[in-house]
Amino acid sequence: MSPTSNYFHLHLVSDSTGETLITVARAVAAQYANVTPVEHVYPLVRSQKQLDRVLSEIEEAPGIVLFTLLEKDLVSKLQSKCQEINIPSLSIIGPVMQLFQAYLGAPTSGRVGAQHVLNAEYFKRIDALNYTMMHDDGQHVEGLEEADVILVGVSRTSKTPTSIYLANRGIRTANVPLVPGIPIPHQLETLTKPLVVSLHATPERLIQVRQNRLLSMGDRDNDTYIDRQSVADEVAYARRLSAKFNWAQLDVTRRSIEETAAAVLKLFADRQRHRLSE
């Protein structure tokens, strides 16, 4: 890659879905603000014929090659080709597997896509997703007691995306908006099982996000939604409710969705441990 280039080719080769590769690659690429990866994703590469097509594309657009392949012949052929055309390649799971093998003293099973087996954990995630989609944005409040976690907060505190992220981790998550002048569902006042987490952000951050939202919708007339005093009143209202009902509070002003979800998961785990110790 030329030092003056602002992009590079990133080849992600997997014998499964490629999700692991994409996650790792994007996490690292995000650290380089001045260059953009051009992703080439090749999932379900499990035969020499499939790999040959991949190698042809890599040769046409050389760059970094990351892979998660378990078949040794495919790994060998991919690495040899990368050496031949002088580009870097790296197995993402290889070093981790070697570490496990050294510690456990046993070889791997070599099962491709083993992490996607339809087990109890998989069905738990599906159930959580179904529940979360049914209980988004204050819907079906009669079923809130069945949740593991309930997120509350004013508009644009990332309740829905955080709920979906948590559901993907198997946590049944509902979310309920807090709107001044509109009474909260009475079910929120009598919950015993779910953890209720109130998401907060500074008025300045909320106004910024809401302005972007209005622009994307072509709505330029909703002044109250982005009025500084109105937004500050909303934040104060949410904090008063949180204190009144002793809800856990989480400031999401500078948190990504992943960071917010991780903080909620920690609160949930701490609560579960506390209950078990009682």
Side-chain angles (χ1 to χ4, degrees), residues 77-225:
K77 189 168 185 178
L78 174 60
Q79 290 178 324
S80 295
K81 186 64 175 180
C82 290
Q83 290 174 358
E84 177 186 325
I85 60 178
N86 196 30
I87 60 172
S89 66
L90 179 68
S91 170
I92 295 301
I93 63 172
V96 180
M97 287 175 62
Q98 290 172 9
L99 181 65
F100 272 55
Q101 186 170 338
Y103 183 78
L104 299 174
T108 63
S109 64
R111 288 187 299 153
V112 171
Q115 71 271 36
H116 301 295
V117 172
L118 302 185
N119 55 17
E121 189 67 26
Y122 173 85
F123 289 108
K124 181 182 177 184
R125 292 200 306 272
I126 296 301
D127 173 69
L129 278 167
N130 288 335
Y131 177 89
T132 295
M133 298 307 293
M134 285 284 291
H135 296 81
D136 180 45
D137 200 30
Q139 298 182 81
H140 303 290
V141 292
E142 66 279 359
L144 289 181
E145 186 64 42
E146 301 167 15
D148 296 314
V149 170
I150 298 173
L151 303 180
V152 298
V154 301
S155 175
R156 300 293 109 188
T157 47
S158 303
K159 296 184 298 298
T160 293
T162 304
S163 296
I164 294 172
Y165 190 100
L166 290 169
N168 272 293
R169 298 290 296 273
I171 305 296
R172 289 161 65 94
T173 310
N175 73 80
V176 179
L178 301 179
V179 183
I182 298 180
I184 63 172
H186 68 84
Q187 288 87 348
L188 273 179
E189 303 179 27
T190 57
L191 295 169
T192 58
K193 173 181 173 285
L195 168 69
V196 182
V197 181
S198 184
L199 304 183
H200 300 280
T202 63
E204 292 76 18
R205 176 58 177 164
L206 289 172
I207 291 169
Q208 180 187 32
V209 176
R210 291 180 181 188
Q211 285 174 331
N212 292 337
R213 173 67 170 170
L214 292 178
L215 285 173
S216 69
M217 297 173 63
D219 183 355
R220 299 176 183 273
D221 301 321
N222 200 340
D223 292 337
T224 304
Y225 191 56

Side-chain angles (χ1 to χ4, degrees), residues 17-61:
T17 62
E19 293 174 16
T20 301
L21 271 175
I22 292 169
T23 300
V24 172
R26 289 180 180 174
V28 177
Q31 303 301 313
Y32 295 87
N34 298 323
V35 289
T36 303
V38 178
E39 290 183 359
H40 306 264
V41 184
Y42 313 97
L44 304 174
V45 177
R46 300 177 180 177
S47 70
Q48 291 286 351
K49 186 176 181 180
Q50 291 170 324
L51 182 61
D52 287 339
R53 288 196 291 268
V54 172
L55 295 179
S56 177
E57 293 192 32
I58 291 174
E59 193 164 14
E60 288 179 11

